[in-house]
Amino acid sequence: MSLPPEKASELKQLIHQQLSKMDVHGRIREILAETIREELAPDQQQLSSEDLIKALRRRGIIDDVMKELNFVTDNVDQELPPSPKQSVCFTDRQSTLLKKTNIDPTRRYLYLQVLGGKAFLEHLQEPEPLPGQVCSTFTLCLHFRNQRFRSKPVPCACEPDFHDGFLLEVHRESLGDGTRMADSTTMLSISDPIHMVLIKTDIFGETTLVASYFLEWRSVLGSENGVTNLTVELMGVGTESKVSVGILNIKLEMYPPLNQTLSQEVVNTQLALERQKTAEKERLFLVYAKQWWREYLQIRPSHNSRLVKIFAQDENGINRPVCSYVKPLRAGRLLDTPRQAARFVNVLGYERAPVIGGGGKQEQWCTLLAFLCRNKGDCEDHANLLCSLLLGYGLEAFVCVGTKAKGVPHAWVMTCGTDGTITFWESLTGHRYIHKSTNPDEPPVAEQPKPLYPYRTVGCVFNHQMFLGNCQSSDSVEICVFDLNDESKWKPMSEEAIKSVCAPGATTSLPPFPPLCASTIDASVTSNEIEMQLRLLVSEHRKDLGLTTVWEDQLSYLLSPALASYEFERTTSISAGNEEFQDAIRRAVPDGHTFKGFPIHFVYRNARRAFATCLRSPFCEEIICCRGDQVRLAVRVRVFTYPESACAVWIMFACKYRSVL
């Protein structure tokens, strides 16, 4: 194929840039010097080019160059057929294959590149990881207008080697403009920021939220050629929200290039007007909230001690109305029922916000993206997510803020049925409780229902549209009447006031809700891996005790229905399949033999950690360390996957042995 002169020179320039990036010239010089030193005889004055080529081949330089140079075999001059989507190539520097992504040429895209990080001073002394060595990693998660992305994990370092590109589609979802390419003016009115969350994963798989940042991307609209480079300073979270944790170098580029860019003055004016409008709405809501609180205290002075939570701090230390943490959330085809949604929220890890030193609980209500990316959070994070999912299923759901036993602050979810039934949902366990109010005026001889739920007091309830403070004479959940329309029992906030700051798009400071992502875990493969690791750990443990280990695969397989039944019961509250399991075990255990089984449940996939926990149970230790005649051991692992790569891990250890009297 012959190329025109300008194409040939362009190709040469690309190859030259690639060779310079790989420092091929420097490596050739080193090999030349080494070859002359080692192979040139004293009477020989020079090396031939063939000798040099052989030396380069021997050390793999030529192979490396050919691997790095990717060629597209499509004819560049061939006329493309008309198509709604054309293929555009993006080359990953880590991969020898050319990655392709289909893009719609009638849509506008923002190409965001992360070109490395610096000044992550906490990792200043971090040693360089050896090849194949497990090390702590950083992962960058992005959300923009219902699109989510995740970077490749990079080793934690003072200057982490982030090199990722994300293609974000910029479009309007209203006014019939969904199919039209957005121009500069249209994009300027799209106030959604790019939410960036930095997660650290340690060598044990434990995740930590490092930073949460809202990137204002519209500065690119006023940049020459629609390209701009930004230096983003990431701040810490919680108590460290005023401390810098590191800097990211980011490049933004519009694709296709803008025909007409806006002046930077126009962009800055628009952003300033939005900030001013948001600040005014938030100021007016604060004035209203103060007035509402004064009125609430005038009803009864003791209300001052009730947990009436109007504002809560997010991970960046910003006070936001609690109603903004909840919004109807549809799970698409990832979750089928409200009870399955409750199970999903339950298997997300529970972790209280970290606090330095003593002084009680550190408050931190995470934005939804930070909670999902970290895969764990506090009880308020779980309750907000569960309430959002139940609202998405069309239920009348509220988050309740109150206390558990011993006055410990807690949050849970409540749904109000059309028949007046009040149901409490514990987001940390997935349990459901029907609330039956106790009448304190009933005579003592009357039998009162004993509550099964762990809640003691309730101060307020809220969702995305309503906020109600409990103004009954007692805030005890047991005698509380949850007739939310009765203003003598529940003092409401103005729905208009809440809508002014919490409705979608009401203010630019409101973090948009991300969609849920499907699990990336292969349940069968992961189950098998954990099971193999547990077999090895059990064998080693018994060897240390001077015991031999004989595994029975058939017995292990027979444990599967029990694990499936346990998970089904957790999801639906219905027990099924137990009869078949018991019948199969009876057939598998001969007369005169004893069978013992121990099921246990985890929400993490660390086999060694799970094994250590199991050994703390005397029942499980008795099975694992079983002594006797004809001892046969079995273990079965079943991983059930949920969105966001959350999972329920069921493990069952079992043994059978001949009973000797």
Side-chain angles (χ1 to χ4, degrees):
M1 181 183 73
S2 60
L3 287 174
E6 63 274 8
K7 291 284 183 185
S9 62
E10 187 180 339
L11 183 61
K12 286 179 183 176
Q13 187 178 358
L14 286 170
I15 293 173
H16 178 72
Q17 287 174 356
Q18 186 68 24
L19 295 176
S20 300
K21 190 167 75 171
M22 294 173 63
D23 193 24
V24 170
H25 302 99
R27 291 164 72 183
I28 289 174
R29 279 194 293 272
E30 289 174 12
I31 289 169
L32 179 60
E34 189 180 323
T35 306
I36 290 173
R37 199 166 50 247
E38 292 178 359
E39 299 181 11
L40 197 62
D43 57 340
Q44 200 174 347
Q45 295 300 316
Q46 61 182 13
L47 279 171
S48 66
S49 58
E50 287 80 7
D51 294 331
L52 180 56
I53 292 292
K54 282 180 186 175
L56 293 176
R57 279 191 187 282
R58 219 169 33 241
R59 287 162 176 79
I61 298 296
I62 293 177
D63 288 341
D64 288 349
V65 171
M66 295 310 293
K67 282 179 185 175
E68 284 287 335
L69 293 174
N70 296 307
F71 295 98
V72 181
T73 56
D74 298 343
N75 188 343
V76 290
D77 293 325
Q78 184 180 354
E79 190 176 341
L80 290 170
S83 165
K85 289 199 173 186
Q86 296 175 8
S87 219
V88 175
C89 304
F90 294 91
T91 305
D92 184 343
R93 70 187 192 93
Q94 297 289 340
S95 174
T96 57
L97 296 173
L98 198 64
K99 287 188 178 179
K100 293 187 177 182
T101 179
N102 286 329
I103 70 166
D104 187 342
T106 64
R107 292 292 185 100
R108 182 78 69 186
Y109 295 88
L110 176 65
Y111 187 44
L112 184 152
Q113 296 178 72
V114 184
L115 305 174
K118 57 186 179 183
F120 285 78
L121 300 179
E122 190 176 331
H123 301 277
L124 191 61
Q125 305 299 326
E126 202 86 23
E128 189 76 22
L130 300 171
Q133 181 187 3
V134 178
C135 62
S136 300
T137 59
F138 282 139
T139 308
L140 192 63
C141 305
L142 274 70
H143 168 233
F144 177 68
R145 296 181 69 76
N146 245 26
Q147 304 161 78
R148 286 181 60 184
F149 304 87
R150 181 182 287 263
S151 73
K152 294 188 294 289
V154 299
C156 293
C158 183
E159 297 187 355
D161 189 27
F162 285 111
H163 279 89
D164 271 295
F166 309 98
L167 197 63
L168 317 179
E169 187 177 335
V170 185
H171 58 90
R172 284 193 68 88
E173 297 165 335
S174 60
L175 305 176
D177 290 339
T179 58
R180 193 184 306 167
M181 183 184 287
D183 58 15
S184 302
T185 309
T186 303
M187 288 189 287
L188 187 60
S189 66
I190 298 175
S191 59
D192 294 25
I194 299 171
H195 191 183
M196 306 170 69
V197 169
L198 185 63
I199 300 292
K200 177 184 175 182
T201 308
D202 67 16
I203 57 174
F204 304 107
E206 291 296 308
T207 54
T208 309
L209 178 63
V210 178
S212 175
Y213 184 83
F214 293 94
L215 176 66
E216 177 51 72
W217 58 275
R218 286 175 290 175
S219 58
V220 72
L221 301 176
S223 304
E224 191 176 351
N225 302 322
V227 181
T228 187
N229 290 284
L230 303 172
T231 301
V232 170
E233 183 179 18
L234 301 177
M235 309 302 282
V237 295
T239 53
E240 300 174 34
S241 58
K242 305 296 183 205
V243 180
S244 174
V245 295
I247 292 170
L248 291 180
N249 296 318
I250 290 176
K251 180 180 179 182
L252 298 176
E253 183 176 357
M254 297 306 305
Y255 181 86
L258 296 171
N259 296 326
Q260 179 184 2
T261 57
L262 303 172
S263 71
Q264 200 63 54
E265 187 181 352
V266 169
V267 175
N268 293 340
T269 302
Q270 171 71 15
L271 300 183
L273 284 171
E274 287 178 3
R275 284 193 294 269
Q276 185 180 344
K277 186 178 175 184
T278 294
E280 180 61 16
K281 284 185 176 181
E282 290 174 345
R283 186 189 68 80
L284 290 173
F285 182 77
L286 180 61
V287 169
Y288 169 76
K290 285 180 176 179
Q291 175 62 30
W292 183 93
W293 178 246
R294 280 195 294 270
E295 293 172 1
Y296 182 70
L297 292 182
Q298 285 169 10
I299 297 172
R300 200 175 284 109
S302 62
H303 286 178
N304 194 36
S305 62
R306 294 189 180 181
L307 276 176
V308 180
K309 194 94 183 133
I310 303 173
F311 295 92
Q313 281 192 358
D314 65 11
E315 66 265 25
N316 291 323
I318 296 170
N319 272 313
R320 298 202 284 116
V322 291
C323 296
S324 67
Y325 290 90
V326 174
K327 174 193 168 186
L329 181 63
R330 290 165 57 175
R333 300 190 185 278
L334 301 178
L335 298 168
D336 295 320
T337 66
R339 295 193 187 190
Q340 196 179 12
R343 177 61 173 153
F344 156 59
V345 176
N346 155 223
V347 297
L348 290 170
Y350 169 63
E351 182 182 80
R352 294 179 63 172
V355 59
I356 300 173
K361 181 182 175 183
Q362 167 68 32
E363 179 184 86
Q364 182 179 301
W365 291 31
C366 282
T367 55
L368 183 54
L369 184 67
F371 176 39
L372 294 176
C373 293
R374 190 170 56 137
N375 245 220
K376 58 186 176 183
D378 213 333
C379 61
E380 293 89 356
D381 303 323
H382 286 79
N384 290 334
L385 174 56
L386 178 56
C387 183
S388 298
L389 287 167
L390 296 182
L391 287 168
Y393 280 111
L395 301 179
E396 187 180 12
F398 297 86
V399 175
C400 302
V401 179
T403 62
K404 291 195 297 184
K406 299 181 181 178
V408 177
H410 191 61
W412 66 97
V413 178
M414 172 184 78
T415 52
C416 306
T418 52
D419 59 354
T421 303
I422 300 298
T423 307
F424 294 148
W425 303 63
E426 177 47 62
S427 57
L428 296 180
T429 63
H431 294 159
R432 298 164 67 254
Y433 309 95
I434 303 297
H435 174 263
K436 292 180 180 176
S437 180
T438 302
N439 188 350
D441 299 326
E442 291 265 340
V445 291
E447 187 178 348
Q448 300 285 1
K450 188 177 180 182
L452 300 173
Y453 46 77
Y455 318 120
R456 294 292 176 266
T457 66
V458 57
C460 65
V461 301
F462 68 87
N463 62 17
H464 63 303
Q465 293 176 329
M466 299 170 68
F467 183 95
L468 302 112
N470 184 0
C471 52
Q472 296 170 64
S473 56
S474 170
D475 60 353
S476 171
V477 176
E478 195 174 341
I479 62 173
C480 215
V481 177
F482 286 91
D483 180 4
L484 303 182
N485 295 316
D486 187 345
E487 294 193 10
S488 67
K489 293 180 172 61
W490 295 91
K491 178 173 173 57
M493 267 194 172
S494 161
E495 290 189 27
E496 286 300 317
I498 293 170
K499 195 184 295 184
S500 70
V501 288
C502 297
T507 64
T508 54
S509 63
L510 204 61
F513 266 48
L516 297 182
C517 285
S519 177
T520 58
I521 297 171
D522 187 317
S524 300
V525 171
T526 309
S527 300
N528 200 49
E529 286 176 352
I530 297 173
E531 192 172 303
M532 290 300 105
Q533 291 172 32
L534 286 175
R535 282 196 175 201
L536 187 63
L537 290 166
V538 170
S539 298
E540 288 176 350
H541 186 74
R542 287 177 62 84
K543 187 178 178 182
D544 292 342
L545 297 173
L547 300 171
T548 58
T549 305
V550 181
W551 295 100
E552 186 171 314
D553 291 339
Q554 177 62 14
L555 185 59
S556 295
Y557 180 70
L558 294 184
L559 304 177
S560 295
L563 301 183
S565 176
Y566 299 149
E567 182 61 22
F568 183 74
E569 187 176 354
R570 285 290 182 99
T571 306
T572 63
S573 303
I574 300 169
S575 179
N578 199 35
E579 300 83 1
E580 294 90 342
F581 168 66
Q582 289 182 358
D583 189 61
I585 294 298
R586 286 193 190 100
R587 290 176 176 275
V589 179
D591 289 341
H593 284 64
T594 300
F595 171 84
K596 291 182 180 179
F598 176 80
I600 190 167
H601 166 255
F602 299 99
V603 295
Y604 51 80
R605 306 188 300 278
N606 187 322
R608 192 172 290 276
R609 180 179 165 193
F611 183 66
T613 304
C614 291
L615 283 178
R616 287 200 287 271
S617 164
F619 302 106
C620 187
E621 188 188 24
E622 188 179 321
I623 292 171
I624 292 172
C625 306
C626 181
R627 299 169 182 265
D629 186 23
Q630 297 180 24
V631 175
R632 299 292 182 268
L633 292 172
V635 63
R636 193 65 170 171
V637 177
R638 180 71 167 87
V639 174
F640 297 88
T641 58
Y642 288 91
E644 300 296 329
S645 296
C647 61
V649 180
W650 282 97
I651 300 172
M652 192 168 190
F653 290 99
C655 70
K656 67 176 184 180
Y657 57 92
R658 187 177 177 187
S659 303
V660 180
L661 297 176

